[in-house]
Amino acid sequence: MSDSATMSAAQTAANNYVTTIFQKIKEKSPGEVEFQQAVEEFLHAIEPILAQDSKYEKHGILERLLEPERFIQFRVAWLDDEGKVQVNRGYRVQFNSSIGPYKGGLRFHPSVSASIVKFLGFEQIFKNALTGLPIGGGKGGSDFDPKGKSDNEIMRFCQSFMTELQRHIGPDTDIPAGDIGVGGREIGYLFGQYKRIRGAYDAGTITGKGLPYGGSLARTEATGYGVIYFTVEMLKSIGESFAGKKVVVSGSGNVAIYAIEKAQELGATVVACSDSSGYIYDKNGLDVELIKELKEVKRARIESYLEKHPTASYEANGDIWSIPCDIALPCATQNEINEAQANELIRNGVIAVAEGANMPSDLQAIAAFQANNILFGPAKAANAGGVAVSALEMAQNSSRMSWSFEDVDNQLQLIMQTIYQNSSSAALDYERPGNLVIGANIAGFKKVADTMISQGVL
């Protein structure tokens, strides 16, 4: 049999294996559409390595990798300000610990479900592996909505949530952090309850803490800055930079704010951002300090931006991806860009898309970007800066040291550059040059899978 025929047979075998595995996932996880979507993208991305090396099928890596090591669901009962009992559902998925303790954020949002938590935890495995740091994949959260709640209600909820979660976490076991709906306020309440129950100051148990009690400088900025550092590397590959570029950023939370800040520092004009109610457009460039005040201090709607910048415009429930731009940074939530929106961005001249949120582009949107040779940075690579600095926070906690902002930021830049280089190299090694979806998935998978093989059947 010729080499090409052998390769074709290997590719067919890999495709059949992937198809069989995905069918099993759909049967075992019915209705978990977000988890299925994440798995489908991953499986097709790693087909080249499966075709080249049969050891992963021989050792049942996919069968083991796609099944969480542990999935925890629990009731969270708490009292609102009227003295009425409220009940929410809490989750923690401990997906894979082959290269380190479980690490991943907590999300408080009405959309949180088993499917959401599993998709986020699954993606976290490879995102964490790409950082080069010894952390495994996990995620958690609750369908609790912090919006409209008083500080006391949020405190009582967090205390009840942690009363259950604390038995499953620890600095060498599972280290939660923040995510959507879980910022510094929530982390403080969660850590305080953990400390009270455990009777010990295990600062390394939770990351994203306030600076006075073990937090890290640059953690607040990390995910947003990291997206920009990754995009810088993508742009370099075609001889471009942020200077003079028009940028659109969805969202106005932590990731979006600091992506805007860093993009502007690098010479871009960021003209739009959004929240769940709509988007603002300012052709002169967004006032990021005002957005910080509105969102981090006042917790106000983005529409309030117009009070100080009346020449800007606000579009309620508008499609931010209809705005022409050179660089698009989806930093809001999953599946916010569909195929039609991707094609509109392409028609309007976008040259690069980097995902600041988790899985913000659906599979058809990604295919459209790739078919049109748009630079595309997948979330598991582009937004790994947050968890990278969380791991650096853990290192500081272990050593009882606090590093300077510059030291942490320099390490973040190096990590994001390395993630890009490893993803790009893996894509090239498997004859998919420039395809960072394939490159990031293969680079992350190979590290985790080879470790699993070396540790035996667990």
Side-chain angles (χ1 to χ4, degrees):
M1 185 180 290
S2 67
D3 289 346
S4 61
T6 300
M7 180 58 69
S8 178
Q11 289 171 344
T12 299
N15 181 261
N16 290 340
Y17 179 40
V18 161
T19 300
T20 300
I21 291 293
F22 186 55
Q23 184 58 39
K24 289 180 180 178
I25 287 295
K26 290 194 289 185
E27 292 170 358
K28 293 175 71 174
S29 306
E32 296 183 355
V33 293
E34 295 86 2
F35 178 54
Q36 290 179 19
Q37 180 183 337
V39 169
E40 184 177 12
E41 181 217 288
F42 165 77
L43 289 176
H44 289 301
I46 66 165
E47 275 190 40
I49 193 173
L50 298 176
Q52 192 174 106
D53 198 331
S54 63
K55 70 179 180 181
Y56 301 111
E57 183 174 359
K58 174 185 174 183
H59 288 275
I61 292 300
L62 292 184
E63 289 85 346
R64 289 191 275 159
L65 193 56
L66 292 167
E67 191 67 35
E69 293 175 9
R70 193 170 295 106
F71 185 83
I72 303 152
Q73 179 179 313
F74 51 94
R75 181 184 67 203
V76 186
W78 56 281
L79 290 176
D80 65 20
D81 286 343
E82 304 301 319
K84 183 179 179 181
V85 175
Q86 301 290 339
V87 178
N88 289 96
R89 186 173 287 178
Y91 303 93
R92 187 69 181 173
V93 62
Q94 297 175 331
F95 228 116
N96 190 283
S97 60
S98 59
I99 63 172
Y102 311 105
K103 183 82 189 78
L106 298 170
R107 176 176 294 191
F108 292 169
H109 191 271
S111 67
V112 170
S113 64
S115 177
I116 294 287
V117 169
K118 285 173 67 177
F119 121 65
L120 292 169
F122 181 68
E123 291 281 290
Q124 202 75 42
I125 300 170
F126 312 107
K127 181 188 301 184
N128 292 0
L130 285 168
T131 68
L133 301 168
I135 42 178
K139 205 74 178 184
S142 172
D143 57 2
F144 171 78
D145 188 358
K147 288 183 180 178
K149 305 293 193 304
S150 70
D151 285 352
N152 281 333
E153 286 176 321
I154 291 171
M155 180 183 69
R156 288 192 290 269
F157 172 81
C158 289
Q159 289 173 340
S160 182
F161 183 90
M162 181 53 77
T163 297
E164 174 61 32
L165 184 66
Q166 56 86 24
R167 68 192 70 194
H168 306 292
I169 64 175
D172 299 311
T173 305
D174 185 351
I175 304 93
D179 195 276
I180 293 173
V182 180
R185 173 182 55 178
E186 290 77 15
I187 290 293
Y189 294 148
L190 291 164
F191 181 69
Q193 182 73 350
Y194 179 87
K195 181 168 64 73
R196 177 166 67 176
I197 293 172
R198 290 297 185 94
Y201 205 98
D202 293 331
T205 298
I206 300 176
T207 58
K209 300 181 296 297
L211 293 176
Y213 60 100
S216 174
L217 289 165
R219 176 60 190 90
T220 302
E221 297 84 354
T223 308
Y225 278 19
V227 171
I228 301 303
Y229 295 148
F230 188 89
T231 307
V232 165
E233 299 304 309
M234 287 203 302
L235 292 170
K236 282 181 183 177
S237 72
I238 59 169
E240 290 284 0
S241 71
F242 271 98
K245 298 297 188 296
K246 184 182 290 185
V247 180
V248 169
V249 180
S250 66
S252 52
N254 196 52
V255 182
I257 286 172
Y258 291 99
I260 293 168
E261 180 175 88
K262 183 57 66 173
Q264 290 180 337
E265 284 181 17
L266 296 178
T269 301
V270 183
V271 296
C273 72
S274 61
D275 63 14
S276 58
S277 64
Y279 70 79
I280 53 169
Y281 172 77
D282 190 339
K283 66 179 182 180
N284 299 315
L286 296 176
D287 180 346
V288 71
E289 293 305 318
L290 175 57
I291 296 171
K292 286 181 187 179
E293 179 185 344
L294 293 175
K295 289 298 181 178
E296 296 181 339
V297 180
K298 296 182 177 179
R299 302 182 190 277
R301 288 294 188 183
I302 199 67
E303 184 180 6
S304 303
Y305 181 93
L306 271 62
E307 294 173 8
K308 290 191 176 180
H309 291 277
T311 59
S313 61
Y314 170 75
E315 187 72 31
N317 302 313
D319 180 9
I320 195 170
W321 305 120
S322 66
I323 300 171
C325 62
D326 302 302
I327 299 169
L329 303 176
C331 297
T333 190
Q334 67 268 8
N335 290 328
E336 58 174 295
I337 301 181
N338 59 31
E339 183 178 16
Q341 292 165 311
N343 284 326
E344 185 162 15
L345 281 166
I346 293 163
R347 286 193 298 271
N348 286 334
V350 74
I351 64 170
V353 179
E355 298 186 317
N358 289 302
M359 204 169 70
S361 310
D362 70 19
L363 297 175
Q364 292 73 32
I366 295 171
F369 291 135
Q370 293 179 328
N372 288 275
N373 297 316
I374 306 302
L375 297 172
F376 182 76
K380 60 171 57 74
N383 77 7
V387 74
V389 173
S390 281
L392 298 180
E393 181 178 329
M394 292 163 57
Q396 293 170 78
N397 294 156
S398 295
S399 64
R400 300 293 194 270
M401 296 288 289
S402 181
W403 304 341
S404 71
F405 186 101
E406 183 180 13
D407 286 341
V408 177
D409 191 42
N410 286 339
Q411 291 198 51
L412 172 61
Q413 290 185 58
L414 180 60
I415 288 169
M416 298 311 297
Q417 289 165 1
T418 301
I419 290 173
Y420 173 81
Q421 290 161 4
N422 290 344
S423 299
S424 182
S425 295
L428 190 61
D429 289 345
Y430 289 89
E431 301 179 353
R432 305 296 196 282
N435 190 326
L436 298 177
V437 174
I438 286 177
N441 277 289
I442 286 179
F445 169 75
K446 193 173 188 304
K447 180 175 181 178
V448 175
D450 289 348
T451 301
M452 290 174 68
I453 291 171
S454 70
Q455 293 175 357
V457 180
L458 300 172

